Amino acid sequence: MLKLLNKKLKRTLFTTPTHGQSAPPLSNIQNLKSFYKWDFSEIEGYDNLLNPTGAILMAEGKASDIYNTKKTFFLTQGSTVGLLAVMKAVLNRGDKVLVARNCHKSVFSGLVLTGADVDWLMPDTKSEMSLKWGIMGKIDPKELQDTFKLNQYKAFIMTSPTYEGINSDIEEISKVCKSYGVLLIVDEAHGALYNFSDFFPKTAIELGADFSVNSLHKNAGALNQCALLHMSKDCPYDWREIQNCINLFHTSSPSYPLIANIEACINFLTSSKGEKAIDELVLNLLKFQKELKEEGYEFLNEECADVTKLVLRLNGADCSKLSDILYEDYDIEDEISSEFSCLYLTGIGTTKKKLDKLKSALIDVKNKKFDKILIDGAKTPEFQPYPLVKMRPAEAFNREYIYVSKEKASLMLSSEMILPYPPGIGVLYPGEAIQKEHLRYLNDDVGVIKI
């Protein structure tokens, strides 16, 4: 691994983290030696992330003021810890929770750990946008309300923006949740810049969510694992309850360089330099898209309002082939791709030079190598079916299992979590029946629950 890290990376990355290996928020940490210099334990005078009373408490308090929250917690193990902590705080064994199916796998982990009983709500997969781009769309507030009329839930957990930048109507969804006494928990990991520019939608907390998480490493310029958990001012829980639950999952040896990076990142984003950096990023992205649209490329963000997620397609092209060509011939790596679209993630650290390289490569492929990326006939995206949940996640996770051939697995209960990574969105979870649409994701030997 050290050999790999010491080797200069020739690839141009449009992946997480988007800081580009040289972002400004904590630029005085330049190398591994600096990390060693800053890597303390809970020594006298340096505070404790799991029971902050000094410098960390003050930094979190300042963040709460910036994000206009009851409490904002620093997390050095990603948004995952924030989601697990909130779920543990609000859900008890047997409680019913509604979850949008395009959730991150960490939500399923929370279901196992809490013993909660889950129902799934499917995002849009039938609109022209979803079929064209091959991605799940928004949550329909009307469908949510209809679901609440039929069932009682303790909480609703959803993702907005999605991995591709799709933003649901959080304000309307919040109103529906409040009218039925349901807590709204929003995985806003990919919306870490929303608080800092009018170019972006309002934050989930501003629009009425009770809890949200942000991953600062996604596009805000911080290092991997830097994240935040927010509680709204109207949230009915005491922040100490949430802190206690964070402490259940968080390491007792949190990284001080990461804690400092979180604080420095927020300070940067609220500074005049940060404001300028965001403005330059957005303007560069808009110019990038304008010039590529003139070449025939299409972009999803015109429909979802998050310009940092460069989801693009070219009519007549298989975008998975486009992705391969850019990687193999131009050393440009995207975050994820399919036949229908490619996702290039950007953020603080994405320079104009980097965008120009991508733009030139895309134009070059379109003009000189289009025959190599032609789509093989008309294709329709295949979305996962509505899950047939036959066993509570906690029970399914702890049940004995056996292996059977793929041919015999149909309608048996999966013991495995099947998910493409990235983005970490489950196609099949333990306790769910294996349907014919799942078979293409499975190995020859399939783990199924022993009945």
PDB file of all heavy atoms in Angstrom, residues 47 52-65 71 74 263:
ATOM      1  N   ASP A  47      -9.171  18.563  24.560  1.00  0.00           N
ATOM      2  CA  ASP A  47     -10.590  18.231  24.500  1.00  0.00           C
ATOM      3  C   ASP A  47     -10.812  16.803  23.985  1.00  0.00           C
ATOM      4  O   ASP A  47      -9.883  16.098  23.613  1.00  0.00           O
ATOM      5  CB  ASP A  47     -11.357  19.239  23.644  1.00  0.00           C
ATOM      6  CG  ASP A  47     -12.809  19.424  24.103  1.00  0.00           C
ATOM      7  OD1 ASP A  47     -13.216  18.743  25.056  1.00  0.00           O
ATOM      8  OD2 ASP A  47     -13.512  20.258  23.520  1.00  0.00           O
ATOM      9  N   PRO A  52     -17.143  16.702  24.441  1.00  0.00           N
ATOM     10  CA  PRO A  52     -16.460  17.980  24.256  1.00  0.00           C
ATOM     11  C   PRO A  52     -16.842  19.012  25.321  1.00  0.00           C
ATOM     12  O   PRO A  52     -18.025  19.225  25.608  1.00  0.00           O
ATOM     13  CB  PRO A  52     -16.906  18.426  22.871  1.00  0.00           C
ATOM     14  CG  PRO A  52     -18.194  17.726  22.630  1.00  0.00           C
ATOM     15  CD  PRO A  52     -18.106  16.430  23.361  1.00  0.00           C
ATOM     16  N   THR A  53     -15.836  19.643  25.903  1.00  0.00           N
ATOM     17  CA  THR A  53     -16.064  20.686  26.906  1.00  0.00           C
ATOM     18  C   THR A  53     -15.214  21.924  26.647  1.00  0.00           C
ATOM     19  O   THR A  53     -15.368  22.918  27.337  1.00  0.00           O
ATOM     20  CB  THR A  53     -15.738  20.154  28.321  1.00  0.00           C
ATOM     21  OG1 THR A  53     -14.370  19.708  28.356  1.00  0.00           O
ATOM     22  CG2 THR A  53     -16.659  19.001  28.710  1.00  0.00           C
ATOM     23  N   GLY A  54     -14.314  21.854  25.667  1.00  0.00           N
ATOM     24  CA  GLY A  54     -13.390  22.953  25.420  1.00  0.00           C
ATOM     25  C   GLY A  54     -13.374  23.385  23.976  1.00  0.00           C
ATOM     26  O   GLY A  54     -14.391  23.827  23.424  1.00  0.00           O
ATOM     27  N   ALA A  55     -12.219  23.243  23.342  1.00  0.00           N
ATOM     28  CA  ALA A  55     -12.035  23.746  21.974  1.00  0.00           C
ATOM     29  C   ALA A  55     -12.982  23.094  20.972  1.00  0.00           C
ATOM     30  O   ALA A  55     -13.512  23.763  20.083  1.00  0.00           O
ATOM     31  CB  ALA A  55     -10.581  23.525  21.547  1.00  0.00           C
ATOM     32  N   ILE A  56     -13.197  21.778  21.118  1.00  0.00           N
ATOM     33  CA  ILE A  56     -14.092  21.088  20.180  1.00  0.00           C
ATOM     34  C   ILE A  56     -15.528  21.539  20.383  1.00  0.00           C
ATOM     35  O   ILE A  56     -16.275  21.752  19.416  1.00  0.00           O
ATOM     36  CB  ILE A  56     -13.965  19.560  20.328  1.00  0.00           C
ATOM     37  CG1 ILE A  56     -12.557  19.105  19.942  1.00  0.00           C
ATOM     38  CG2 ILE A  56     -14.995  18.839  19.458  1.00  0.00           C
ATOM     39  CD1 ILE A  56     -12.282  17.631  20.184  1.00  0.00           C
ATOM     40  N   LEU A  57     -15.929  21.708  21.649  1.00  0.00           N
ATOM     41  CA  LEU A  57     -17.284  22.193  21.935  1.00  0.00           C
ATOM     42  C   LEU A  57     -17.492  23.577  21.322  1.00  0.00           C
ATOM     43  O   LEU A  57     -18.552  23.858  20.736  1.00  0.00           O
ATOM     44  CB  LEU A  57     -17.511  22.245  23.448  1.00  0.00           C
ATOM     45  CG  LEU A  57     -18.905  22.700  23.894  1.00  0.00           C
ATOM     46  CD1 LEU A  57     -19.971  21.698  23.471  1.00  0.00           C
ATOM     47  CD2 LEU A  57     -18.946  22.898  25.415  1.00  0.00           C
ATOM     48  N   MET A  58     -16.486  24.427  21.424  1.00  0.00           N
ATOM     49  CA  MET A  58     -16.591  25.771  20.845  1.00  0.00           C
ATOM     50  C   MET A  58     -16.678  25.693  19.319  1.00  0.00           C
ATOM     51  O   MET A  58     -17.464  26.420  18.699  1.00  0.00           O
ATOM     52  CB  MET A  58     -15.384  26.613  21.277  1.00  0.00           C
ATOM     53  CG  MET A  58     -15.364  26.964  22.754  1.00  0.00           C
ATOM     54  SD  MET A  58     -13.864  27.864  23.234  1.00  0.00           S
ATOM     55  CE  MET A  58     -14.049  29.362  22.266  1.00  0.00           C
ATOM     56  N   ALA A  59     -15.884  24.803  18.726  1.00  0.00           N
ATOM     57  CA  ALA A  59     -15.915  24.666  17.265  1.00  0.00           C
ATOM     58  C   ALA A  59     -17.262  24.140  16.791  1.00  0.00           C
ATOM     59  O   ALA A  59     -17.817  24.611  15.785  1.00  0.00           O
ATOM     60  CB  ALA A  59     -14.790  23.744  16.815  1.00  0.00           C
ATOM     61  N   GLU A  60     -17.823  23.157  17.509  1.00  0.00           N
ATOM     62  CA  GLU A  60     -19.144  22.640  17.151  1.00  0.00           C
ATOM     63  C   GLU A  60     -20.220  23.704  17.358  1.00  0.00           C
ATOM     64  O   GLU A  60     -21.183  23.792  16.583  1.00  0.00           O
ATOM     65  CB  GLU A  60     -19.463  21.391  17.971  1.00  0.00           C
ATOM     66  CG  GLU A  60     -18.660  20.162  17.561  1.00  0.00           C
ATOM     67  CD  GLU A  60     -19.079  18.896  18.275  1.00  0.00           C
ATOM     68  OE1 GLU A  60     -19.645  19.003  19.402  1.00  0.00           O
ATOM     69  OE2 GLU A  60     -18.862  17.802  17.748  1.00  0.00           O
ATOM     70  N   GLY A  61     -20.057  24.527  18.411  1.00  0.00           N
ATOM     71  CA  GLY A  61     -21.016  25.607  18.656  1.00  0.00           C
ATOM     72  C   GLY A  61     -21.009  26.633  17.534  1.00  0.00           C
ATOM     73  O   GLY A  61     -22.070  27.099  17.091  1.00  0.00           O
ATOM     74  N   LYS A  62     -19.809  26.958  17.064  1.00  0.00           N
ATOM     75  CA  LYS A  62     -19.700  27.891  15.940  1.00  0.00           C
ATOM     76  C   LYS A  62     -20.350  27.295  14.687  1.00  0.00           C
ATOM     77  O   LYS A  62     -21.057  27.988  13.950  1.00  0.00           O
ATOM     78  CB  LYS A  62     -18.230  28.210  15.674  1.00  0.00           C
ATOM     79  CG  LYS A  62     -18.011  29.202  14.551  1.00  0.00           C
ATOM     80  CD  LYS A  62     -16.531  29.477  14.327  1.00  0.00           C
ATOM     81  CE  LYS A  62     -16.324  30.425  13.145  1.00  0.00           C
ATOM     82  NZ  LYS A  62     -14.871  30.682  12.898  1.00  0.00           N
ATOM     83  N   ALA A  63     -20.140  25.995  14.489  1.00  0.00           N
ATOM     84  CA  ALA A  63     -20.762  25.326  13.343  1.00  0.00           C
ATOM     85  C   ALA A  63     -22.282  25.346  13.456  1.00  0.00           C
ATOM     86  O   ALA A  63     -22.990  25.538  12.457  1.00  0.00           O
ATOM     87  CB  ALA A  63     -20.255  23.890  13.236  1.00  0.00           C
ATOM     88  N   SER A  64     -22.809  25.156  14.665  1.00  0.00           N
ATOM     89  CA  SER A  64     -24.262  25.205  14.866  1.00  0.00           C
ATOM     90  C   SER A  64     -24.818  26.563  14.478  1.00  0.00           C
ATOM     91  O   SER A  64     -25.908  26.671  13.898  1.00  0.00           O
ATOM     92  CB  SER A  64     -24.606  24.895  16.329  1.00  0.00           C
ATOM     93  OG  SER A  64     -24.322  23.556  16.641  1.00  0.00           O
ATOM     94  N   ASP A  65     -24.074  27.620  14.798  1.00  0.00           N
ATOM     95  CA  ASP A  65     -24.510  28.966  14.410  1.00  0.00           C
ATOM     96  C   ASP A  65     -24.503  29.115  12.885  1.00  0.00           C
ATOM     97  O   ASP A  65     -25.434  29.692  12.306  1.00  0.00           O
ATOM     98  CB  ASP A  65     -23.587  30.016  15.036  1.00  0.00           C
ATOM     99  CG  ASP A  65     -23.727  30.106  16.551  1.00  0.00           C
ATOM    100  OD1 ASP A  65     -24.784  29.684  17.072  1.00  0.00           O
ATOM    101  OD2 ASP A  65     -22.784  30.587  17.202  1.00  0.00           O
ATOM    102  N   LYS A  71     -27.917  21.715  17.272  1.00  0.00           N
ATOM    103  CA  LYS A  71     -26.598  21.153  17.536  1.00  0.00           C
ATOM    104  C   LYS A  71     -26.051  20.573  16.245  1.00  0.00           C
ATOM    105  O   LYS A  71     -26.766  19.893  15.498  1.00  0.00           O
ATOM    106  CB  LYS A  71     -26.689  20.050  18.598  1.00  0.00           C
ATOM    107  CG  LYS A  71     -25.373  19.362  18.930  1.00  0.00           C
ATOM    108  CD  LYS A  71     -24.424  20.273  19.692  1.00  0.00           C
ATOM    109  CE  LYS A  71     -23.179  19.518  20.123  1.00  0.00           C
ATOM    110  NZ  LYS A  71     -22.216  20.400  20.812  1.00  0.00           N
ATOM    111  N   PHE A  74     -19.410  17.064  15.023  1.00  0.00           N
ATOM    112  CA  PHE A  74     -18.318  16.684  14.141  1.00  0.00           C
ATOM    113  C   PHE A  74     -18.189  15.163  14.145  1.00  0.00           C
ATOM    114  O   PHE A  74     -18.223  14.533  15.203  1.00  0.00           O
ATOM    115  CB  PHE A  74     -16.993  17.287  14.622  1.00  0.00           C
ATOM    116  CG  PHE A  74     -16.862  18.770  14.425  1.00  0.00           C
ATOM    117  CD1 PHE A  74     -17.912  19.538  13.930  1.00  0.00           C
ATOM    118  CD2 PHE A  74     -15.674  19.423  14.735  1.00  0.00           C
ATOM    119  CE1 PHE A  74     -17.786  20.908  13.750  1.00  0.00           C
ATOM    120  CE2 PHE A  74     -15.537  20.793  14.564  1.00  0.00           C
ATOM    121  CZ  PHE A  74     -16.586  21.542  14.074  1.00  0.00           C
ATOM    122  N   GLU A 263     -13.147  21.569  11.084  1.00  0.00           N
ATOM    123  CA  GLU A 263     -13.271  22.974  11.494  1.00  0.00           C
ATOM    124  C   GLU A 263     -12.705  23.906  10.428  1.00  0.00           C
ATOM    125  O   GLU A 263     -13.326  24.911  10.068  1.00  0.00           O
ATOM    126  CB  GLU A 263     -12.552  23.195  12.820  1.00  0.00           C
ATOM    127  CG  GLU A 263     -12.669  24.635  13.325  1.00  0.00           C
ATOM    128  CD  GLU A 263     -11.883  24.868  14.604  1.00  0.00           C
ATOM    129  OE1 GLU A 263     -10.930  24.110  14.875  1.00  0.00           O
ATOM    130  OE2 GLU A 263     -12.227  25.822  15.326  1.00  0.00           O
TER     131      GLU A 263
END
